Amino acid sequence: MNVHAIKAIYVFEMSRTFRTVMQSIASPVIATSLYFIVFGSAIGSRMTAIEGISYGAFIVPGLIMLSILTESISNASFGIYMPRFSGTIYEVLSAPISFVEIVAGYVGAAATKSVILGTIMLATARLFVPFEIEHPLLMALILVLISVTFSLFGFVIGIWADGFEKLQLVPMLIVTPLTFLGGSFYSIDMLPDFWRQVTLFNPVVYLVSAFRWAFYGVSDVHVGVSIAMTLMFMGLCLAAIWWIFRTGYRLKS
C-alpha cells in the first residue's frame, strides 16, 4: 500500500476544501440552519410530537442526512471530475499507484469533509432545537458509513459525468427529492398503507431511519435492515468502481 500516494491525494483535496470554506462548509451549514429555525423552532413548536419526540428534534437527523448525502456526492464527484477536466488524471493513472489507493485518497477526503460537516451541523442544531443522542457511538459509525458510501457513489458520478451540469444532476434531481420523500420531515408510519409500501422502495428511507434510531431509539425500519441496505449499496459502488478502472471507462479517453 502506497501510503504516500494516498496522503498526497488526501491532503490536496482537503486543502482545496479549506481554500473554499464558504462554499464547502459555511454554505450548507447556513442552509441547514434555516431549516432548523423555520421547521424546528418556528413551526415545530406548534406541531404535535411524533412517537413521543418533539417535531423539531424529530427532523434533526433527516435534515443532517439531507446535507450529508448531497455534500458527499458533490465533493467526491467534483474531486475526481476536475483532474479529468484538466487532464491531470493521466499523471495520476501513470503514477505507480493502484486504483485502490486512488479511490482511498479521493473518497477518504470527501468522506472526511462530510463527517466534519455533519459534526458542525449537530452542534448548530443544538443551538435551535433541544435533543439528546441515545446511541452516540452508533450515530458516529452510521455517519461515517453513510459518508463513505455516498462518497463512493459520488466518485462513480464524477467518472460518469461529461460536463458540470451532470455533476449536479443526481444530487439535485434525484437524491434531494428522495431525501424529502424518505421520512426526513415525517414518519412513514403516518402514510396510508399503499404509500408506505411504495416508500420502502426509496433507499434513503433506510438511511434516515438508521440515523434517527441512533438519536432516539425509534425508527420506521429495523436498524439492522437499514445498515444491511447501506452496506449492500456500498458493495454496488465498489463493484462499479472496480469495473471502471478495469475497463478504463471515461478515464483513458
Side-chain angles (χ1 to χ4, degrees), residues 26 32 39 82 139 172 186 195 203:
T32 306
F39 291 98
M82 282 307 297
M139 184 275 295
M172 298 302 296
Y186 56 88
W195 289 111

Side-chain angles (χ1 to χ4, degrees), residues 156-178:
V156 174
I157 294 174
I159 299 295
W160 164 76
D162 55 6
F164 287 99
E165 296 82 2
K166 286 188 176 180
L167 289 179
Q168 298 299 321
L169 181 66
V170 174
M172 298 302 296
L173 297 183
I174 298 178
V175 175
T176 299
L178 286 179

Side-chain angles (χ1 to χ4, degrees), residues 199-219:
T199 305
L200 291 176
F201 288 95
N202 181 351
V204 179
V205 168
Y206 302 93
L207 307 178
V208 175
S209 182
F211 203 51
R212 183 172 287 134
W213 187 90
F215 274 74
Y216 310 120
V218 299
S219 62

Side-chain angles (χ1 to χ4, degrees), residues 220-236:
D220 297 321
V221 183
H222 191 277
V223 64
V225 176
S226 299
I227 294 176
M229 293 291 289
T230 306
L231 291 173
M232 183 176 69
F233 184 63
M234 176 187 284
L236 292 174

